């Protein structure tokens, strides 16, 4: 956790509205960084508020917004003690006046619980967390962040704060704060300076109160190009070749949180050149893509994946993306869409690329239809990237090389150590490992004939890398550790 930061001399509201920031220097001086459009009166008032001699710096609008976010986005969670927070308060009155999109940094209302939840959100976003877990227990309230796929505790609070904290989150998400006995789902949006953030909220009753999980979705964070996914050259070329076809089904497989949505969005961005009508059905729509029609699944009103897919096929699409094929009806419609000249992209939950064939068979799709519609099967996992500042080289043992399927001596692997740069974890960020099975005539014949998974895998990976082999290459390149690759691949490959 970062050290506590002193509160800026100028309020965020004043700084944003008047284009003036007071920037403290290491020698005790203060610089008034401002837009060229800042008024003389605003500069005089800012100088009066600072109270001593100041320097001045004129910033471009873009530089000003970056400086504004970096200065006002610092949170001090460590100071959120029981005494500072005070007693829990009734937050239901906030529901009516809560704006649709609130600016997180504009904390003119200093109510203790509001300051706390704003601080939790700010620290989570600053730490690149993907999820926030608020978990009540008998004697404490735990706040944990999921960073690079791993949960770690960020804050431990008195248990008596749980109802107030949960109510505040439910008010922000427009959930029923009086209903505590059933799960609820909601979402809200906020701004962190110029960064637009969406949060998906899920509540679940538990023995000591309601558990809350918030998924953080930064709107501009996942718009990656295909070349930025970290695919090996052969995998990227095969994937791009499949995307270039006018029809067929491309499936991306893997467990929850393995980056499937990011890969699909990268594929759609490659196809989104203005010459195609691209439509999606998602649950939920995680990131807005300009130029692409995105539809939200809503089972409460009968808008399922199948119903949405059936509807968008009447919208003259060229490319269709279905968030997930999870039932026979959706699978059947996706196959029919492919047969009628559409390129269909989707995901399924299987352990390997080849296993998705068996999954679709189990859903009732005929083998002859699969053999004529499938274009490419991609499986992926995410592993943590070693911190460049502290990774430690070592010579792997023969057993370790054998587990990864690597032959030869004289190799150098790296292991995590931990340093201030990576907050003592030894890892910073994540990267993907991939396997792809493009459909050739032999593979189509094997699917049509009902071949087993092992038979199809033997043919598919005779000349292509498996997930484990791709991970082993990234270990040998010093990008990740052998333990990380084995953690995500062992059950499938060993």
């Amino acid at each position: 956790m970062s050290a506590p930061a002193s509160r800026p001399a100028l309020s965020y509201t004043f700084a944003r509205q008047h284009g003036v920031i007071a920037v403290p220097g290491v020698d005790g001086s203060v610089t008034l960084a401002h837009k060229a459009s800042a008024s003389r009166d605003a500069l005089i008032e800012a100088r009066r508020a600072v109270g001593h001699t100041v320097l001045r710096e004129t910033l471009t609008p873009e530089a000003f917004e970056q400086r504004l976010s970096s200065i006002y986005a610092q949170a001090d969670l460590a100071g959120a003690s029981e005494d500072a927070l005070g007693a829990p308060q009734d937050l239901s009155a906030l529901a009516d006046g809560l704006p649709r999109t609130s600016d997180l940094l504009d904390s003119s209302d200093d109510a203790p619980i509001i300051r706390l939840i704003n601080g939790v959100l700010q620290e989570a976003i600053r730490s690149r967390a993907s999820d926030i877990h608020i978990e009540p227990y008998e004697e404490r309230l735990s706040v944990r962040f999921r960073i690079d796929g791993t949960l770690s505790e960020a804050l431990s609070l008195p248990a008596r704060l749980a109802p107030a904290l949960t109510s505040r989150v439910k008010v922000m998400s427009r959930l029923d704060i009086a209903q505590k006995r059933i799960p609820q789902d909601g979402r809200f949006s906020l701004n962190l300076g110029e960064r637009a953030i969406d949060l998906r909220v899920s509540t679940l009753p538990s023995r000591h109160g309601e558990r809350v999980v918030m998924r953080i979705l930064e709107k501009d964070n996942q718009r990656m190009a295909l070349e930025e996914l970290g695919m090996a050259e052969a995998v990227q070329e095969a994937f791009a070749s499949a995307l270039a076809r006018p029809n067929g089904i491309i499936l991306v497989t893997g467990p929850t949180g393995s980056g499937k949505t990011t890969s699909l969005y990268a594929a759609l961005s490659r196809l989104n050149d203005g010459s195609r009508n691209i439509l999606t059905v998602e649950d939920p729509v995680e990131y807005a893509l300009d130029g692409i029609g995105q539809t939200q699944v809503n089972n409460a009103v009968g808008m399922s994946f199948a119903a949405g897919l059936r509807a968008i096929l009447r919208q003259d699409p060229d490319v269709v993306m279905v968030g997930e094929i999870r039932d026979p009806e959706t699978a059947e419609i996706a196959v029919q869409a492919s047969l009628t000249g559409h390129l269909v992209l989707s995901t399924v939950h299987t352990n390997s690329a080849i296993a998705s064939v068996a999954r679709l068979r189990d859903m009732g799709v005929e083998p002859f239809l699969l053999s004529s519609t499938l274009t490419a099967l991609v499986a992926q996992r995410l592993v943590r990237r070693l911190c460049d500042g502290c990774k430690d080289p070592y010579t792997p043992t023969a057993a370790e090389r054998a587990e990864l399927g690597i032959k030869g001596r004289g190799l150098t692997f790296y292991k995590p150590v931990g340093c201030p740069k990576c907050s003592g974890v030894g890892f910073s960020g994540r990267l993907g490992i991939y396997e792809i099975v493009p459909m050739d005539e032999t593979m189509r014949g094997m699917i049509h004939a009902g071949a087993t998974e092992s038979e199809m895998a033997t043919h598919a990976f005779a000349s292509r890398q498996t997930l484990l082999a791709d991970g082993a290459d990234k270990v040998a390149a010093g990008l990740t550790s052998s333990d990380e690759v084995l953690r995500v691949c062992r059950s499938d490959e060993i």
Side-chain angles (χ1 to χ4, degrees), residues 130-250:
S130 61
D131 300 87
I132 303 170
H133 291 237
I134 301 176
E135 303 163 331
Y137 298 103
E138 185 174 3
E139 296 181 354
R140 68 188 183 96
L141 175 67
S142 174
V143 179
R144 297 195 293 171
F145 297 160
R146 186 178 294 279
I147 302 173
D148 294 336
T150 303
L151 280 169
S152 60
E153 187 166 87
L155 188 62
S156 182
L157 295 168
R160 68 178 183 82
L161 296 174
L165 201 62
T166 301
S167 294
R168 171 60 183 167
V169 174
K170 291 172 74 173
V171 166
M172 297 170 74
S173 311
R174 287 177 172 75
L175 301 178
D176 185 353
I177 65 171
Q179 182 55 265
K180 305 178 187 298
R181 296 177 297 175
I182 61 173
Q184 297 186 64
D185 295 304
R187 65 188 304 156
F188 64 93
S189 300
L190 52 85
N191 297 323
L192 189 66
E194 288 297 292
R195 296 165 65 184
I197 311 291
D198 280 341
L199 289 103
R200 294 202 331 248
V201 179
S202 172
T203 70
L204 180 71
S206 68
R207 181 179 179 186
H208 299 292
E210 290 180 281
R211 296 170 60 97
V212 178
V213 175
M214 291 181 276
R215 168 65 58 89
I216 300 172
L217 303 170
E218 188 166 355
K219 294 179 181 177
D220 296 325
N221 199 36
Q222 298 294 320
R223 295 178 185 174
M224 299 180 70
L226 200 61
E227 295 76 17
E228 298 172 339
L229 293 178
M231 292 179 172
E233 185 176 353
V235 175
Q236 183 180 316
E237 288 178 355
F239 195 28
S241 176
L243 290 172
R245 299 190 55 169
N247 54 37
I249 299 176
I250 300 174

Side-chain angles (χ1 to χ4, degrees), residues 1 19 31 44 85 90 94 120 158 198 216 256 268 282 298 303 307 347 358 384 419 424 431 443 483:
M1 198 67 64
T31 299
I44 292 174
L85 290 170
D90 180 11
L94 293 174
V120 168
D198 280 341
I216 300 172
T256 300
L268 292 180
E282 305 173 59
N298 187 351
M303 185 62 170
T347 71
R384 291 181 291 175
C419 66
L431 69 155
M443 181 62 69
D483 287 344

Side-chain angles (χ1 to χ4, degrees), residues 302-374:
M303 185 62 170
S304 62
F305 274 121
L309 179 54
R310 190 180 293 110
I312 65 175
L313 288 176
R314 295 193 290 268
Q315 293 279 313
D316 185 32
D318 298 294
V319 179
V320 172
M321 193 270 270
V322 187
E324 181 185 348
I325 295 178
R326 59 173 65 156
D327 57 70
E329 187 179 8
T330 306
E332 181 183 354
I333 300 171
V335 167
Q336 293 302 322
S338 170
L339 290 172
T340 52
H342 302 88
L343 180 62
V344 180
L345 283 68
S346 189
T347 71
V348 290
H349 285 288
T350 58
N351 289 330
S352 66
I354 292 295
S356 58
V357 175
R359 177 78 175 120
L360 292 175
R361 282 177 184 163
D362 292 342
M363 290 185 187
V365 181
E366 295 291 346
F368 74 90
L369 290 176
L370 287 177
S371 65
S372 59
T373 56
L374 288 177

